[in-house]
Amino acid sequence: MKCINMASNENPYGPSPRAVHAMQSVLTDCNFYPDNDSLELQRKLARLHGVQPEQVMVGAGLTAVLDIIARALLSHDLNAITSERSFIVYPTATRAAGGRLIEVPMRDDGYDLDAIAAATDRNTRIVFLANPNNPTGSMVPAAEVDRFLQKIPEHVLVVLDEAYYEFAQYFARLRGIEYSHSIDYVRQNRNVVILRTFSKAHGLAGVRIGYALGPPQLISRVAEMRPTFSVSLPAQSAASAAIDDEAHIRESVTRNAEQSELLTRSVSEMGYRVLSTWANFIYCEVKEDADRVAQRLRNEGVHILPLEKWGAPTAIRVTVGRPEQNEVFLSAFKKAMEPAVAS
Ligand SMILES: Cc1ncc(COP(=O)(O)O)c(C=O)c1O
């Protein structure tokens, strides 16, 4: 049976047609190596964010960028800090760089920034903050990040991972909350790196492209660790075209907001706790072994993520799909949970 994949937080509406066209139009130039510095895109991103080109580093997706940052700053004896139940690449990137990852317990299903600040020591080099967080979908508002940064010592780089920025920004406008003014930190040359990706709202997860914004000295130090020619020509062209397709981004975030609300309401009405999401997925407590629930959902043709590996054995993460996919999920979920409801 072909399953609907609601486990990877991809954009179910596809890439922008302008990005597809841009990729098609460079395919015949693929006998050449790509521009190693993605210069055109780097300049365009600098203009978009009102920063200098030297403050922008393009990489082959944030997964690769995180790995490069960890390798540039960590080694044995040094540590990085994040929250428990956060993005799975922070432990792997830290370990691959030979460093130690300290995972601070959560507070109220989100990052406990006071506890993270208190956990920093003289061997700490990085704090990873996923905002919104994956897999809980929680968000730390701008004012709290401001306060947090004041408590962080100068020798610690704060990596603000805003992979779900566009979704969170849209929710924030709807909910009347200030989500992020992280670009100000970059303009002020603070010891902060902002991460953004084209994998989510732009629908380009398959071509692997994302970027970091930060202080020029740090960006050039980190850029030295990049594998050569890692960002392909189609990826650079697609990203550049995707930035210009504001209508596509708007449609992705508005549909996501509508559909996440529908999923949240429907699953809550079935009696399960769903966290308020700021991203393109929902986190849900299923009150029983989530692996078993995932298996039953797979039998119904839907693939979701059980969260035992994240220390949440009775929780699942479900990517918000297209309306028809969400309908399939909801009826599969209802069926899969029937024995639990009856018992
Ligand atoms: C918080 C967070 N950061 C980064 C990424 C990875 O993004 P990319 O596709 O650019 O590697 C993800 C992907 O799920 C994510 O959830």
Side-chain angles (χ1 to χ4, degrees):
M1 179 198 287
K2 194 170 184 311
C3 268
I4 300 174
N5 184 16
M6 299 174 83
S8 311
N9 302 343
E10 292 141 341
N11 186 329
Y13 303 104
S16 146
R18 287 165 76 164
V20 174
H21 182 256
M23 286 189 274
Q24 283 165 339
S25 67
V26 297
L27 290 180
T28 50
D29 290 331
C30 283
N31 52 321
F32 300 112
Y33 288 110
D35 177 355
N36 193 41
D37 295 316
S38 307
L39 271 180
E40 240 175 76
L41 180 62
Q42 182 197 39
R43 291 199 190 109
K44 188 165 184 169
L45 289 165
R47 277 196 305 278
L48 179 73
H49 294 300
V51 300
Q52 299 304 311
E54 308 76 60
Q55 295 179 292
V56 182
M57 183 190 79
V58 177
L62 294 187
T63 312
V65 173
L66 284 161
D67 201 59
I68 296 165
I69 293 173
R71 279 194 290 120
L73 299 187
L74 297 174
S75 61
H76 81 286
D77 293 345
L78 299 177
N79 68 66
I81 306 181
T82 190
S83 172
E84 71 168 323
R85 211 158 300 159
S86 191
F87 185 40
I88 197 80
V89 170
Y90 306 152
T92 51
T94 303
R95 267 201 304 274
R100 183 167 73 91
L101 187 73
I102 299 170
E103 291 183 271
V104 171
M106 299 204 114
R107 188 172 65 190
D108 302 332
D109 301 307
Y111 270 65
D112 185 343
L113 293 187
D114 291 335
I116 289 179
T120 57
D121 62 26
R122 64 194 169 84
N123 292 327
T124 306
R125 290 294 175 275
I126 304 176
V127 169
F128 294 112
L129 203 174
N131 195 27
N133 184 40
N134 174 10
T136 57
S138 54
M139 183 278 284
V140 182
E144 279 182 43
V145 177
D146 286 346
R147 274 196 295 281
F148 172 67
L149 292 181
Q150 279 164 12
K151 290 193 225 155
I152 296 298
E154 264 306 300
H155 65 276
V156 178
L157 173 74
V158 176
V159 175
L160 273 181
D161 181 345
E162 297 184 335
Y164 302 94
Y165 175 86
E166 293 81 2
F167 301 110
Q169 185 64 10
Y170 184 75
F171 281 122
R173 241 179 270 133
L174 289 182
R175 296 168 185 172
I177 290 175
E178 191 189 4
Y179 152 55
S180 169
H181 50 230
S182 56
I183 299 297
D184 291 344
Y185 309 138
V186 180
R187 295 192 189 121
Q188 295 156 5
N189 266 330
R190 307 273 293 270
N191 200 17
V192 171
V193 161
I194 316 298
L195 303 184
R196 301 274 176 88
T197 182
F198 290 94
S199 297
K200 307 296 177 183
H202 303 85
L204 290 169
V207 297
R208 312 305 301 126
I209 186 158
Y211 58 101
L213 304 163
Q217 313 83 316
L218 182 94
I219 290 291
S220 77
R221 179 174 164 201
V222 168
E224 279 172 19
M225 307 293 284
R226 279 174 314 174
T228 311
F229 302 135
S230 55
V231 185
S232 75
L233 176 61
Q236 294 180 32
S237 308
S240 182
I243 293 170
D244 294 332
D245 197 346
E246 288 172 16
H248 175 262
I249 299 169
R250 199 164 43 244
E251 188 157 324
S252 298
V253 300
T254 47
R255 286 173 161 209
N256 177 67
E258 284 158 20
Q259 290 299 307
S260 65
E261 199 189 310
L262 176 113
L263 277 183
T264 302
R265 191 169 4 97
S266 308
V267 175
S268 305
E269 281 169 7
M270 290 184 220
Y272 299 95
R273 189 169 82 100
V274 182
L275 302 186
S276 171
T277 188
W278 292 82
N280 66 345
F281 53 86
I282 61 165
Y283 176 101
C284 170
E285 284 286 346
V286 290
K287 304 188 232 179
E288 62 166 303
D289 185 315
D291 276 339
R292 279 201 219 127
V293 171
Q295 182 56 53
R296 298 207 293 272
L297 284 168
R298 243 189 325 272
N299 296 342
E300 298 297 322
V302 183
H303 186 42
I304 54 92
L305 189 69
L307 297 172
E308 200 201 338
K309 264 200 227 151
W310 282 260
T314 58
I316 59 171
R317 190 193 71 192
V318 183
T319 303
V320 178
R322 304 168 74 99
E324 61 279 14
Q325 295 173 324
N326 297 331
E327 267 173 43
V328 172
F329 166 77
L330 286 171
S331 56
F333 187 70
K334 201 164 172 203
K335 194 159 168 212
M337 303 312 281
E338 264 162 14
V341 172
S343 65

